């Protein structure tokens, strides 16, 4: 039996549904002062780092374990060049990059690597640019507003709203094709195998794979220029990019020189009409952070100890599976990506049945409790959360996070009702 509380009063509930039920039954007066506290979980993730970049360090990471052999030494010294060359060779081996492809370490993270490619090779033929989130849209802006490619060639735009892919069947493989393998800010990736890219293509493909490499299978035969930053899936430090070139990309670099396009020093990849091979064997354009390189090598060694890239892919997919199960069980949360076949396993973006201010509160509650850091959706994305599920994140931590999402949702709702 319920006590009739139709006169204004104060009660405290630990479940929002109970409070709502009391109101519906007429047991409570709407004027009653009611505070409702969702039950707080007792088990926290061992690591609250769910940021989408820079991302979580590998399990068991310790800064003190990094070699100090390069500290105070020139990156052009024998030991410096040897360390850089080792990082390149291990990258190639663990990612299963074809032997005749080139791998280089370049300045300015993935952004620097991708713009380095754009500034060097685009303009030789028409271009198709595919984008469905903020970073891909940025590459389109580079092409038309800064490179001004439409003054000399046709630039076709293939776009879609957040949560969707454009119609990739319309991509013309006779053209150069720019695309993002995984939309970090939308949680939407390209289909497995990149079947929209023709094997007998005439143009080059320029692939921004920064949140895909080491967590998704890369179809190298479809990719001519691939870029990423090791701060993403491997949890490395910022400021360095990785550039991977196919033989076709090298041929373009050696045969095409854009007219009236100045190239900053940090963008230059050729000397006297030939590829600068030294860039892909350990020499860098400018001074890298050698401690960041050692940190990257540490992550590569960890990846190798697990079984290489296949093991890393499985870890990320297992993390996504946890969130997928949770979404299926709760009607207040859903994936921003509408198609499960093209849903990211790294930057997992979810919408909530909360308004934008409530979602900010939702994220801040989890941060205040030391449960999940930096999971607010990207500033240009629809109101959402973004949980990094890359390979360095433990599946057990994703599992422990799920009850906290319920707590944060109910608490955010309760505070909105109370207000």
């Amino acid at each position: 039996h319920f006590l009739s509380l139709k006169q204004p009063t104060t009660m405290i509930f630990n479940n929002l549904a109970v409070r709502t039920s009391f109101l519906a039954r007429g047991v409570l007066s709407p004027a009653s002062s009611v505070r409702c506290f969702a039950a707080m979980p007792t088990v926290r993730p061992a690591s609250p780092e769910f940021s989408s970049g820079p991302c979580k360090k590998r399990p068991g990471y310790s800064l003190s374990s990094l070699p100090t052999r390069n500290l105070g030494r020139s990156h052009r010294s024998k030991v410096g060049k040897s360390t850089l060359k080792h990082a390149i060779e291990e990258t190639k081996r663990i990612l299963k990059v074809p032997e005749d492809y080139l791998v280089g370490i370049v300045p300015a993270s993935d952004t620097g690597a991708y713009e380095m490619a754009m500034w060097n090779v685009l303009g030789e033929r028409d271009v198709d640019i595919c984008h469905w989130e903020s970073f891909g849209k940025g590459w389109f802006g580079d092409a038309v507003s800064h490179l001004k490619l439409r003054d000399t060639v046709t630039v076709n735009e293939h776009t879609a709203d957040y949560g969707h892919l454009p119609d990739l069947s319309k991509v013309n493989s006779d053209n150069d094709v720019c695309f993002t393998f995984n939309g970090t800010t939308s949680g939407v990736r390209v289909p497995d195998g990149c079947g929209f890219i023709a094997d007998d293509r005439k143009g080059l493909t320029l692939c921004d794979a920064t949140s895909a490499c080491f967590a998704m299978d890369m179809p190298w035969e479809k990719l001519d220029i691939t870029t990423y930053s090791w701060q993403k899936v491997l949890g490395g430090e910022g400021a360095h990019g990785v550039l991977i070139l196919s033989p076709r990309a090298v041929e373009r670099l050696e045969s095409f020189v854009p007219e009236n396009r100045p190239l900053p020093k940090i963008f230059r990849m050729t000397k006297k009409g030939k590829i600068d091979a030294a860039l892909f064997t350990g020499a860098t354009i400018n001074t890298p952070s050698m401690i960041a390189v050692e940190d990257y090598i540490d992550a590569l060694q960890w990846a190798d100890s697990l079984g290489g890239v296949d093991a890393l892919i499985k870890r990320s997919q297992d993390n996504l599976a946890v969130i997928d199960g949770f979404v299926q069980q709760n009607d207040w949360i859903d994936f921003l990506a509408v198609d499960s076949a093209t849903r990211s396993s790294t930057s997992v973006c979810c919408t909530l049945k909360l308004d934008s201010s409530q979602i900010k509160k939702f994220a801040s509650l989890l941060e205040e409790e030391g449960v999940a850091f930096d999971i607010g959706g990207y500033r240009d994305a629809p109101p959402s959360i973004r949980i990094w599920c890359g390979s360095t994140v433990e599946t057990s931590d994703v599992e422990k996070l799920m009850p906290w999402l319920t707590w944060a949702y109910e608490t955010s709702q309760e505070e909105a009702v109370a207000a």
Side-chain angles (χ1 to χ4, degrees):
H1 299 283
F2 292 116
L3 176 66
S4 178
L5 296 171
K6 294 189 178 182
Q7 295 301 315
T9 187
T10 297
M11 290 194 71
I12 297 177
F13 295 90
N14 67 358
N15 190 291
L16 182 64
V18 175
R19 187 263 190 192
T20 304
S21 176
F22 271 41
L23 284 171
R25 293 164 184 254
V27 175
L28 278 178
S29 164
S32 297
S33 173
V34 178
R35 297 189 69 193
C36 175
F37 293 95
M40 181 181 287
T42 57
V43 179
R44 286 170 162 77
S47 172
E49 285 88 20
F50 293 99
S51 164
S52 293
C55 301
K56 181 185 178 296
K57 308 302 284 187
R58 67 165 176 83
Y61 176 83
S62 172
L63 186 62
S64 62
S65 68
L66 298 183
T68 57
R69 58 193 170 183
N70 280 290
L71 297 186
R73 297 294 305 275
S74 169
H75 63 292
R76 296 187 178 89
S77 66
K78 184 176 180 180
V79 66
K81 285 185 177 180
S82 175
T83 301
L84 289 160
K85 183 179 180 183
H86 178 64
I88 289 169
E89 291 173 345
E90 287 298 276
T91 296
K92 200 168 183 177
R93 179 177 68 85
I94 293 172
L95 278 180
K96 303 179 183 178
V97 176
E99 186 61 34
D100 56 354
Y101 280 45
L102 301 179
V103 176
I105 296 170
V106 300
S109 196
D110 176 68
T111 301
Y114 201 80
E115 291 188 332
M116 187 178 188
M118 292 181 71
W119 258 251
N120 274 276
V121 305
L122 294 185
E124 189 266 353
R125 62 181 60 231
D126 293 345
V127 185
D128 282 22
I129 300 181
C130 311
H131 66 87
W132 51 95
E133 49 91 55
S134 57
F135 288 101
K137 185 177 181 180
W139 307 144
F140 176 76
D142 275 353
V144 299
S145 299
H146 298 283
L147 290 174
K148 301 187 182 301
L149 292 180
R150 282 181 167 161
D151 290 349
T152 55
V153 297
T154 299
V155 178
N156 302 306
E157 182 182 14
H158 306 276
T159 187
D161 292 335
Y162 276 82
H164 301 264
L165 276 179
D167 184 355
L168 297 178
S169 68
K170 295 182 178 179
V171 169
N172 184 351
S173 291
D174 285 346
N175 299 340
D176 290 335
V177 179
C178 299
F179 70 100
T180 307
F181 199 98
N182 179 74
T184 311
T185 64
S186 70
V188 179
R189 52 156 296 174
V190 293
D192 280 332
C194 294
F196 66 97
I197 298 170
D199 290 333
D200 60 350
R201 61 190 176 277
K202 295 179 181 178
L204 297 181
T205 55
L206 286 73
C207 174
D208 170 2
T210 194
S211 56
C213 274
F214 294 103
M216 301 175 190
D217 186 38
M218 306 302 295
W220 295 112
E221 72 280 3
K222 303 281 189 177
L223 309 177
D224 294 306
I225 301 179
T226 306
T227 66
Y228 70 90
S229 167
W230 57 49
Q231 65 161 308
K232 293 291 188 184
V233 177
L234 291 184
E237 295 304 298
H240 301 77
V242 176
L243 178 70
I244 303 174
L245 304 178
S246 74
R248 298 181 72 250
V250 172
E251 181 183 11
R252 171 74 64 83
L253 286 163
E254 294 182 340
S255 63
F256 172 67
V257 178
E259 292 185 11
N260 301 317
R261 186 183 300 168
L263 286 180
K265 180 179 179 180
I266 61 170
F267 280 10
R268 296 171 197 162
M269 287 189 274
T270 60
K271 285 185 176 180
K272 298 180 179 179
K274 294 293 182 182
I275 194 76
D276 186 356
L279 297 179
F280 305 94
T281 57
T284 54
I285 294 173
N286 67 343
T287 307
S289 164
M290 294 307 295
I291 198 68
V293 174
E294 295 283 18
D295 183 87
Y296 176 52
I297 292 172
D298 174 85
L300 290 172
Q301 290 172 339
W302 168 75
D304 200 31
S305 73
L306 297 179
V309 70
D310 293 337
L312 298 184
I313 291 171
K314 183 179 185 304
R315 285 175 64 91
S316 184
Q317 290 176 338
D318 287 348
N319 291 338
L320 172 62
V322 172
I323 298 181
D324 185 39
F326 183 79
V327 168
Q328 291 184 38
Q329 294 169 6
N330 295 275
D331 65 359
W332 53 266
I333 184 171
D334 203 353
F335 290 104
L336 183 57
V338 296
D339 184 355
S340 62
T342 55
R343 188 171 292 152
S344 171
S345 65
T346 55
S347 53
V348 181
C349 299
C350 293
T351 57
L352 310 176
K353 287 185 178 178
L354 299 172
D355 62 32
S356 58
S357 63
Q358 289 174 312
I359 290 176
K360 288 180 180 178
K361 180 63 177 177
F362 177 99
S364 66
L365 284 168
L366 296 173
E367 183 151 349
E368 289 166 6
E369 290 297 328
V371 170
F373 296 154
D374 311 321
I375 67 165
Y378 192 71
R379 61 180 179 269
D380 294 335
S384 57
I385 61 171
R386 182 170 56 152
I387 301 171
W388 183 254
C389 287
S391 307
T392 57
V393 175
E394 297 279 31
T395 301
S396 59
D397 279 341
V398 182
E399 292 170 342
K400 292 171 185 174
L401 176 62
M402 296 300 100
W404 285 95
L405 299 187
T406 300
W407 170 81
Y409 171 73
E410 292 184 351
T411 302
S412 299
Q413 258 204 333
E414 174 266 318
E415 293 192 359
V417 170

